[in-house]
Amino acid sequence: MEPNGTAGKHGLEGDPDLQFLLVGGELLKIRSSSWKRNRFYKLQEDCRTLWHESKKTFRRNQTFSIDDIESVRKGRQSEGLKKHTDSSVEEKCFSIIFKGHKKNLDLMAPNEEEASRWVSSLEKVKKTIGNLNRQQKSEHWIINCMRKADKNEDNKMTLKELKHFLRQINVEVDDTYAEEIFKKCDKSNSGSLEGAEIRHFYDLLTHREEIDVIYSNYAQTQGQMSVSDLLNFLLNEQREQATAEDAYKLIEKYEVDETAKQKKHFTKDGFLMYLHNEEGSILNPAHIPVYQDMSQPLNHYYISSSHNTYLMEDQLKGPSSTEAYIKALTKSCRCVELDCWDGANGEPVIYHGYTITSKVLFSDVIKAIKDYAFKTSDYPVILSLENHCTVEQQKLMAHYLISILGDALVTKPLGDTMPTNFPSPEELKGKFLIKGKRLNKLDAFFHNNNIAEEGTVSEEDEAADCENGQKAKPKKSKIKLAKQLSDIVIYCKSVHFSGFEHAKDSQGFYEMSSFKESKAFNLAETSATAYIHHNMDKLSRIYPAGSRTNSSNYNPVPMWNVGCQIVALNFQTPSKEMHLNQGRFLPNGTCGYVLKPEFQRSLSSQFDPNTLAKGPWLKRKIFHIMVISAQQLPKINKDKHKSIVDPLVRVEIYGVPADNASKETHYIDNNGFNPMWNESFQFNIHVPELAMLRFVVEDYDSTSQNDLIGHYCLPVTSVQNGYRHVPLLTKRGDVICSAGLFVHLMLMDAQ
């Protein structure tokens, strides 16, 4: 059921790959060595939903949305396919990887050609849907809800079906109002809506009063916006450095009415289309690609980093998996952790020692890292080794790292002379760095200092801190280290932290320490300036406390405030802290590297986030934020079809202690479809270069904790002023296709 009576193909009309999916075909679904079943799969006419045959007649939901797919992987790329199929069927296999916790779908096609066709076709449709703007996604979402409400599939909508549809889209209306809408649209008096009547109902439903008000204020030319009118809007409201040429280009790009376009006019539909695209988004489009200087030393950047990357769940009994590495790397994580122990048959394994977490082969992890490290970012990946292996298995670890990673592994310093500083992310593109223990100084490369095949070093600092909390061990215990593993530790040699003065006088730039969160937070509070200077020529890695056995996270912002680069978080745990991490690394091409502010890189800086003495970092701003409305918020309790959300919006600022603040709107009863607040807030910001802005939308509950509906976070320096749409993300950080906020923002110099 479509408002205009046609099935939208998202711009793929007549495409052979789309037709292939619409026809569908039989695939072998694989769950285990003994459970393999033929099932028929096909794309439904909405071009957004994949249907599959199920032998369980009681199962109602035999579909999943293309929007739920994270990726499609050709070959035996999942742990299930590697375990339950033979290598001879490699080219017939593929996996559909879902967002969140939903299990992978492992499939095998009849032949290699069909497998390739399924993978390429699904990727094309997924990409096409992903490229739709939010207005288009919103329309498709409403259409899909209409279709579900049309119980008898007659392409008509009765009053009963209309009420069901309104509940589906999160709108609670009384019977009288529903009947009024119905009668207004039922021009034929037939007792049901169809064709143009459904279109009229859709237009009434999606009408946005706040857009009418803004548009009418500036549409001064025959009821429409001329180039001059649009330029006035851009200059006065959006505070952009725009020209008439810029305004004309927006009309050319977004106007949907050809007659208006010929007149160089912007209709309301064209104006709304502009507001829903990247030029009208809260995130500055200039900050979407890599825009920062990537030629500075590696330690001048915040680096997106993961703790105990192998874990899918908690720290004590959950599964370890190569999938956890793949998920982190494809989210542009640039530092992953490998907790290495002796395994059976002489093969090193990765798991959380002294716990019952499952084990995964070291070699399998390195293969997965090699395959997925540079899918979403070309910039270097640091492999942080926590080494508990015997010398023999260490030699095998070194063999796997060298043979699997090949030329991408940095095995000697760049250049022909002893370096005095880190190379840049640009110089290290496509490269892997090993962080771990080393038997000698880096200058040994240039002095032919021969060392024995093995030597003794203090155990990894993190292990010495007894971080899993399960088994006490003596601090700074000694382990034997194989020369082969030592030799490939180049720019990230692990050393114990013995104070800032000692580090300054005795450590090379390439010698780095790991800090457990309590130690790091204490240093950030008591010795902030010294910590910042330490991080100007060295790397610091922070990791969660051992007491966080549930894989919870600490707040990363205070660590960024003192210039720490590798602030490692539990990526598997959806949380406010991970939302902040996602926001911090959202700009700059989501490449996993963000350049630190100048005052965290300049040796003359005396910046202290706790005291805010005068300096170039102090740029006082007043941040005016008006929360106007939201659109199409998802239902939280989908099992109760009559349950409607009561949304409120909280606006949060995170940064130096003086800037931390939180303010929220009132809640609105029973309206998740188009709630309107029109509430204004003001924030005082002292250090905008460290400030993060976070929107949180919750379902208010007077008797228990509010439920999260969606959130969005980004650096204040990447915010666009003016009327902006804000996308919303799920708790796990995936985009909620149709939902969003509409706000007005103004970041101004304080008087």
Side-chain angles (χ1 to χ4, degrees), residues 15 31 80 102 198 235 348 392 420 470 509 749:
D15 183 89
R31 284 186 182 166
K102 189 174 179 180
I198 292 175
L235 295 173
E392 286 308 307
T420 57
Q470 294 306 295
F509 74 89
D749 292 333

Side-chain angles (χ1 to χ4, degrees), residues 616-745:
W617 49 84
L618 205 58
K619 300 172 183 175
R620 296 181 189 276
K621 304 279 185 181
I622 297 176
F623 202 2
H624 297 278
I625 300 176
M626 183 180 190
V627 178
I628 301 171
S629 62
Q631 297 78 44
Q632 296 163 36
L633 302 176
K635 293 181 69 166
I636 298 302
N637 193 343
K638 292 181 179 178
D639 295 333
K640 295 182 180 179
H641 72 280
K642 290 190 176 181
S643 171
I644 310 295
V645 300
D646 304 323
L648 62 82
V649 179
R650 189 165 59 254
V651 184
E652 300 171 342
I653 302 289
Y654 294 87
V656 298
D659 290 347
N660 294 332
S662 175
K663 299 179 182 182
E664 69 181 36
T665 67
H666 67 284
Y667 71 90
I668 292 178
D669 279 321
N670 293 328
N671 186 354
F673 184 73
N674 56 1
M676 192 174 294
W677 292 275
N678 287 320
E679 287 194 44
S680 296
F681 305 116
Q682 180 177 308
F683 298 91
N684 295 312
I685 296 182
H686 301 80
V687 188
E689 288 173 277
L690 291 176
M692 307 278 292
L693 169 64
R694 181 173 181 245
F695 291 95
V696 185
V697 185
E698 292 181 339
D699 180 13
Y700 173 77
D701 194 317
S702 59
T703 59
S704 63
Q705 187 174 354
N706 294 348
D707 290 319
L708 177 72
I709 297 173
H711 69 94
Y712 190 76
C713 181
L714 77 169
V716 165
T717 51
S718 293
V719 169
Q720 291 202 98
N721 280 329
Y723 288 104
R724 304 294 175 185
H725 278 107
V726 181
L728 290 176
L729 310 179
T730 65
K731 190 173 184 179
R732 291 199 165 272
D734 299 313
V735 175
I736 305 171
C737 290
S738 54
L741 294 174
F742 187 54
V743 300
H744 186 269
L745 310 117

Side-chain angles (χ1 to χ4, degrees), residues 102-375:
K102 189 174 179 180
K103 289 183 179 178
N104 300 345
L105 181 57
D106 291 330
L107 301 165
M108 187 163 72
N111 54 59
E112 179 183 339
E113 184 183 352
E114 277 198 50
S116 297
R117 192 77 189 274
W118 274 100
V119 171
S120 61
S121 300
L122 284 169
E123 284 178 336
K124 180 184 282 187
V125 172
K126 180 180 179 297
K127 183 178 180 181
T128 304
I129 289 174
N131 287 338
L132 296 176
N133 65 46
R134 198 164 67 82
Q135 187 178 5
Q136 292 167 317
K137 289 179 180 178
S138 162
E139 185 167 325
H140 289 304
W141 178 74
I142 294 173
I143 290 166
N144 201 38
C145 290
M146 283 182 172
R147 187 182 293 108
K148 288 179 182 175
D150 183 16
K151 294 294 185 183
N152 58 1
E153 299 182 356
D154 62 354
N155 286 322
K156 297 178 182 178
M157 187 177 281
T158 63
L159 178 59
K160 184 178 179 181
E161 287 173 334
L162 180 137
K163 290 177 182 176
H164 178 70
F165 164 71
L166 290 173
R167 280 194 296 269
Q168 268 197 314
I169 62 168
N170 228 345
V171 180
E172 180 68 38
V173 297
D174 61 35
D175 288 348
T176 305
Y177 180 63
E179 286 168 18
E180 281 179 15
I181 298 176
F182 190 82
K183 285 177 182 176
K184 193 179 289 186
C185 298
D186 185 17
K187 304 291 185 185
S188 61
N189 294 316
S190 62
S192 62
L193 308 182
E194 57 182 310
E197 293 172 335
I198 292 175
R199 178 81 239 181
H200 182 44
F201 167 69
Y202 174 84
D203 289 341
L204 281 177
L205 191 69
T206 56
H207 174 247
R208 289 181 56 186
E209 182 184 342
E210 71 274 33
I211 300 297
D212 284 357
V213 172
I214 299 164
Y215 182 78
S216 61
N217 283 342
Y218 286 91
Q220 302 297 315
T221 310
Q222 300 164 11
Q224 296 178 338
M225 274 188 180
S226 65
V227 169
S228 176
D229 295 336
L230 178 56
L231 180 59
N232 285 338
F233 171 78
L234 296 175
L235 295 173
N236 296 331
E237 300 292 352
Q238 310 298 71
R239 297 296 174 97
E240 295 178 15
Q241 301 297 312
T243 64
E245 180 65 18
D246 296 325
Y248 174 65
K249 284 179 180 176
L250 288 176
I251 293 173
E252 279 290 300
K253 187 174 181 180
Y254 294 118
E255 181 49 56
V256 293
D257 185 301
E258 284 301 321
T259 304
K261 190 183 285 189
Q262 287 172 7
K263 294 180 180 178
K264 300 181 182 179
H265 282 189
F266 226 3
T267 62
K268 188 167 63 178
D269 286 342
F271 179 66
L272 187 56
M273 189 72 78
Y274 145 72
L275 286 175
H276 273 301
N277 275 275
E278 66 177 31
E279 288 94 341
S281 174
I282 187 172
L283 175 62
N284 185 344
H287 290 194
I288 294 175
V290 174
Y291 75 97
Q292 293 183 326
D293 176 8
M294 301 303 286
S295 63
Q296 300 214 22
L298 193 73
N299 64 310
H300 283 192
Y301 298 83
Y302 303 126
I303 303 171
S304 181
S305 305
S306 162
H307 169 252
N308 286 359
T309 313
Y310 48 90
L311 293 176
M312 297 287 283
E313 296 171 9
D314 65 66
Q315 305 283 312
L316 300 179
K317 60 186 186 303
S320 304
S321 170
T322 57
E323 190 62 41
Y325 286 93
I326 294 170
K327 284 185 179 292
L329 289 167
T330 51
K331 289 179 180 175
S332 296
C333 175
R334 298 292 88 185
C335 179
V336 296
E337 186 176 8
L338 297 87
D339 201 343
C340 310
W341 298 80
D342 279 1
N345 305 314
E347 288 286 338
V349 295
I350 290 175
Y351 85 111
H352 203 191
Y354 306 105
T355 71
I356 57 171
T357 56
S358 66
K359 299 172 182 178
V360 59
L361 288 173
F362 180 84
S363 58
D364 285 348
V365 168
I366 301 305
K367 287 172 188 171
I369 289 172
K370 170 70 185 299
D371 289 340
Y372 289 92
F374 305 112
K375 293 281 188 185

Side-chain angles (χ1 to χ4, degrees), residues 433-451:
L433 300 175
I434 304 299
K435 173 195 166 291
K437 291 293 181 179
R438 183 178 169 85
L439 291 170
N440 56 5
K441 294 282 189 180
L442 191 59
D443 59 7
F445 272 95
F446 304 97
H447 300 300
N448 295 317
N449 289 355
N450 293 322
I451 59 170

Side-chain angles (χ1 to χ4, degrees), residues 36-99:
K36 300 177 181 179
R37 305 284 190 273
N38 282 311
R39 296 286 185 261
F40 194 87
Y41 290 80
K42 71 185 291 273
L43 188 67
Q44 293 193 315
E45 283 298 316
D46 66 353
C47 301
R48 298 175 68 88
T49 311
L50 207 65
W51 174 88
H52 59 93
E53 173 187 23
S54 174
K55 299 301 182 186
K56 294 181 180 179
T57 54
F58 60 85
R59 285 190 62 177
R60 294 175 59 196
N61 188 9
Q62 297 176 181
T63 64
F64 58 85
S65 171
I66 297 291
D67 284 324
D68 293 336
I69 297 175
E70 186 173 273
S71 63
V72 186
R73 297 183 195 155
K74 179 74 167 32
R76 297 163 62 247
Q77 296 289 318
S78 71
E79 290 182 350
L81 285 175
K82 286 176 183 175
K83 187 176 180 180
H84 305 308
T85 63
D86 188 78
S87 59
S88 62
V89 297
E90 176 81 33
E91 299 304 321
K92 295 182 183 179
C93 295
F94 67 97
S95 298
I96 295 175
I97 313 299
F98 294 100
K99 298 171 183 174

Side-chain angles (χ1 to χ4, degrees), residues 464-726:
D465 283 328
C466 189
E467 60 116 12
N468 64 39
Q470 294 306 295
K471 186 172 180 178
K473 297 188 292 180
K475 298 251 177 149
K476 288 191 174 182
S477 57
K478 300 288 186 177
I479 63 166
K480 287 185 176 179
L481 179 63
K483 178 179 183 298
Q484 293 90 329
L485 195 57
S486 167
D487 282 352
I488 56 176
V489 173
I490 308 301
Y491 290 110
C492 301
K493 177 185 175 181
S494 298
V495 297
H496 185 76
F497 179 71
S498 299
F500 293 128
E501 285 303 315
H502 177 270
K504 182 179 178 181
D505 296 337
S506 307
Q507 282 179 216
F509 74 89
Y510 57 90
E511 294 180 307
M512 62 174 290
S513 300
S514 290
F515 303 82
K516 61 180 176 181
E517 76 176 80
S518 57
K519 176 74 170 176
F521 274 76
N522 181 56
L523 290 171
E525 193 170 319
T526 60
S527 309
T529 304
Y531 211 169
I532 290 167
H533 276 263
H534 175 82
N535 291 323
M536 285 180 187
D537 64 355
K538 293 176 181 64
L539 286 168
S540 290
R541 175 178 172 269
I542 319 300
Y543 60 90
S547 57
R548 296 185 182 275
T549 54
N550 62 347
S551 295
S552 61
N553 281 308
Y554 58 89
N555 180 5
V557 174
M559 298 297 94
W560 293 326
N561 287 348
V562 290
C564 294
Q565 302 90 350
I566 302 176
V567 181
L569 299 175
N570 290 305
F571 265 53
Q572 73 273 31
T573 306
S575 58
K576 174 182 71 176
E577 295 79 16
M578 273 306 298
H579 301 164
L580 290 167
N581 194 76
Q582 188 173 4
R584 165 60 70 202
F585 294 100
L586 177 66
N588 206 36
T590 59
C591 74
Y593 285 83
V594 168
L595 186 64
K596 296 196 288 185
E598 172 67 23
F599 54 80
Q600 289 188 341
R601 296 179 276 124
S602 171
L603 292 174
S604 63
S605 172
Q606 290 301 308
F607 173 64
D608 183 335
N610 304 311
T611 60
L612 293 183
K614 282 188 177 181
W617 49 84
L618 205 58
K619 300 172 183 175
R620 296 181 189 276
K621 304 279 185 181
I622 297 176
F623 202 2
H624 297 278
I625 300 176
M626 183 180 190
V627 178
I628 301 171
S629 62
Q631 297 78 44
Q632 296 163 36
L633 302 176
K635 293 181 69 166
I636 298 302
N637 193 343
K638 292 181 179 178
D639 295 333
K640 295 182 180 179
H641 72 280
K642 290 190 176 181
S643 171
I644 310 295
V645 300
D646 304 323
L648 62 82
V649 179
R650 189 165 59 254
V651 184
E652 300 171 342
I653 302 289
Y654 294 87
V656 298
D659 290 347
N660 294 332
S662 175
K663 299 179 182 182
E664 69 181 36
T665 67
H666 67 284
Y667 71 90
I668 292 178
D669 279 321
N670 293 328
N671 186 354
F673 184 73
N674 56 1
M676 192 174 294
W677 292 275
N678 287 320
E679 287 194 44
S680 296
F681 305 116
Q682 180 177 308
F683 298 91
N684 295 312
I685 296 182
H686 301 80
V687 188
E689 288 173 277
L690 291 176
M692 307 278 292
L693 169 64
R694 181 173 181 245
F695 291 95
V696 185
V697 185
E698 292 181 339
D699 180 13
Y700 173 77
D701 194 317
S702 59
T703 59
S704 63
Q705 187 174 354
N706 294 348
D707 290 319
L708 177 72
I709 297 173
H711 69 94
Y712 190 76
C713 181
L714 77 169
V716 165
T717 51
S718 293
V719 169
Q720 291 202 98
N721 280 329
Y723 288 104
R724 304 294 175 185
H725 278 107
V726 181

